[in-house]
């Protein structure tokens, strides 16, 4: 596993939604292709919405720009 995967699993185990927003965004930025990036962005967006994180707006814009919403 990669350090990012380890951090994602740890954040899930702790149910740390604030960390999950950032980690899934980081995963999207490092993704090897657009489909993978949008998969991670969708997760980041959902967690951001759940916690009322202002990052949700930017994540939505990124997904919309790719025709994913």
């Amino acid at each position: 596993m990669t350090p990012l995967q380890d951090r994602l699993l740890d954040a899930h185990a702790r149910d740390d939604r604030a960390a999950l927003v950032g980690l899934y965004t980081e995963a999207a930025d490092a993704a090897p292709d657009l489909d993978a990036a949008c998969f991670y962005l969708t997760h980041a967006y959902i967690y951001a919405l759940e916690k009322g994180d202002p990052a949700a707006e930017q994540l939505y814009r990124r997904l919309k720009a790719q025709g994913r919403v």
Side-chain angles (χ1 to χ4, degrees):
M1 269 195 258
T2 67
L4 178 56
Q5 288 171 322
D6 290 339
R7 291 184 293 148
L8 275 164
L9 290 173
D10 181 60
H12 274 289
R14 293 180 288 112
D15 196 30
D16 185 347
R17 292 167 192 240
L20 289 168
V21 173
L23 291 168
Y24 275 115
T25 301
E26 182 180 337
D29 293 341
D33 59 60
L34 182 60
D35 286 335
C38 289
F39 172 83
Y40 292 124
L41 284 173
T42 299
H43 281 74
Y45 179 57
I46 290 167
Y47 285 115
L49 286 174
E50 285 182 350
K51 70 176 286 303
D53 190 315
E57 185 177 328
Q58 176 61 27
L59 293 164
Y60 176 84
R61 278 187 251 142
R62 288 181 68 181
L63 286 164
K64 186 174 182 176
Q66 299 304 325
R68 304 299 172 116
V69 291

